Structures are given as C-alpha cells and as structure tokens.
Amino acid sequence: MIKSAILFILAGLAEIGGGYLIWLWLREGKHFVVGVTGGIILVLYGIIPTLQDYPAFGRVYAAYGGIFVVLSLLWGWGIDKKKPDRYDWIGALIALAGAAIIIWMPR
C-alpha cells in the first residue's frame, strides 16, 4: 500500500508539474526549454503508473484521479497561492473516497 501511494503521488507531481511548465511556456511566455522540460516530465508521468502492481489499467488511472484532485488543490495553494475553499476540500474527500473504493476493495 505504501508503494502504491508513493507511485500515485509521484505520478501526480509529474503530471501537474509537467503541465504547469507547459502552461508557463505557452501562457506566460517562458522560454521554450521550460515547455520541453514539461513535456519530458509528462512522459515520465506516463511511465510511473505502469510501475503499480495492480493489473487493471482503468482502475489504476481511475484511482489516481482522486489523488490528482487533492494534489492539484495543494499545488494551486502552494504555487499559485489560491487557497482551496471548503467545497474544494469536500470534493477532494469524495474523490479520495472513490479512489480508495476503486483500488483497494476486494474483488
């Protein structure tokens, strides 16, 4: 379970970080190297979930979605200084509950 959580967090940081660098390049006029670096990080994001031990691609990505929601709110709060409100956190908790059900319920 620890390995799974670490991989979900790494995937989230890679997706958000890579996307953010591309955002900076295209939306805020940063140097193209920033965008290329973001693209490379996004490729790593595509690789990281394959290291999960779960056999079902769809379930891994669906469960990852809950983690992504929380990490996106934290990224926005820490990097963009946009503090999530209570509805953001309620939605994030619902997403996390769904992710836990999808990935950890016995089948």
Side-chain angles (χ1 to χ4, degrees):
M1 189 183 287
I2 300 279
K3 175 187 173 187
S4 175
I6 289 169
L7 288 172
F8 279 134
I9 291 168
L10 286 175
L13 292 174
E15 183 180 13
I16 297 164
Y20 185 70
L21 292 177
I22 290 175
W23 175 281
L24 291 176
W25 168 48
L26 294 175
R27 299 281 300 257
E28 297 186 18
K30 299 294 183 189
H31 196 275
F32 82 95
V33 172
V34 173
V36 170
T37 302
I40 291 167
I41 293 170
L42 286 171
V43 169
L44 291 174
Y45 153 70
I47 294 169
I48 293 168
T50 68
L51 304 174
Q52 290 283 6
D53 293 329
Y54 305 106
F57 172 85
R59 285 191 184 127
V60 167
Y61 271 78
Y64 161 70
I67 306 300
F68 178 80
V69 169
V70 172
L71 289 174
S72 295
L73 290 175
L74 292 172
W75 184 281
W77 192 5
I79 302 298
D80 287 334
K81 307 300 183 218
K82 305 290 184 203
K83 184 177 179 183
D85 64 23
R86 80 176 119 182
Y87 299 110
D88 293 327
W89 291 122
I90 291 168
L93 287 173
I94 292 168
L96 276 180
I101 290 167
I102 289 167
I103 206 71
W104 289 317
M105 288 297 110
R107 298 205 156 53

